[in-house]
Amino acid sequence: KRLISLCVGCGNQIHDQYILRVSPDLEWHAACLKCAECNQYLDETCTCFVRDGKTYCKRDYIRLYGIKCAKCSIGFSKNDFVMRARAKVYHIECFRCVACSR
């Protein structure tokens, strides 16, 4: 016998034919799974990210938690070349000497 699942979004039991399972232990009604920032519905057409039990669309997750340049604080695109210096990451054009800007 199947256990009754509770929706993380609304707290009610899920009796739907389909349950959206995000992460190993978060289950949702299809109508309740939304981005915690922009409220966009997250379904099979949208990548879903989880952090601290909250779900995010890709755009908001990267904006909030993505790696940003240590100089300009702007995120990186997939085509950017970067320079790593210890724990910091820079755009190539941002990686300059603080004394002479070379």
Side-chain angles (χ1 to χ4, degrees):
K1 183 177 174 171
R2 190 182 96 127
L3 296 173
I4 299 297
S5 296
L6 295 178
C7 176
V8 175
C10 69
N12 294 322
Q13 292 181 352
I14 303 174
H15 297 289
D16 300 1
Q17 182 177 0
Y18 299 104
I19 295 173
L20 297 178
R21 184 169 286 134
V22 178
S23 210
D25 55 347
L26 303 177
E27 297 177 327
W28 302 75
H29 291 110
C32 293
L33 184 59
K34 296 189 256 184
C35 174
E37 282 291 306
C38 70
N39 289 321
Q40 173 186 346
Y41 286 101
L42 304 172
D43 57 19
E44 67 277 354
T45 65
C46 184
T47 304
C48 180
F49 294 83
V50 178
R51 175 103 175 220
D52 300 327
K54 293 181 181 179
T55 54
Y56 299 94
C57 65
K58 182 177 182 178
R59 186 187 74 237
D60 285 328
Y61 185 85
I62 290 171
R63 180 178 59 80
L64 293 168
Y65 303 110
I67 296 172
K68 296 177 178 63
C69 176
K71 174 73 174 172
C72 71
S73 299
I74 296 175
F76 300 98
S77 74
K78 64 182 178 180
N79 297 324
D80 286 339
F81 288 104
V82 299
M83 180 64 75
R84 294 180 184 272
R86 297 189 185 214
K88 296 183 179 182
V89 182
Y90 300 85
H91 294 105
I92 290 290
E93 58 274 10
C94 293
F95 190 71
R96 302 276 182 232
C97 174
V98 294
C100 69
S101 296
R102 285 176 47 194

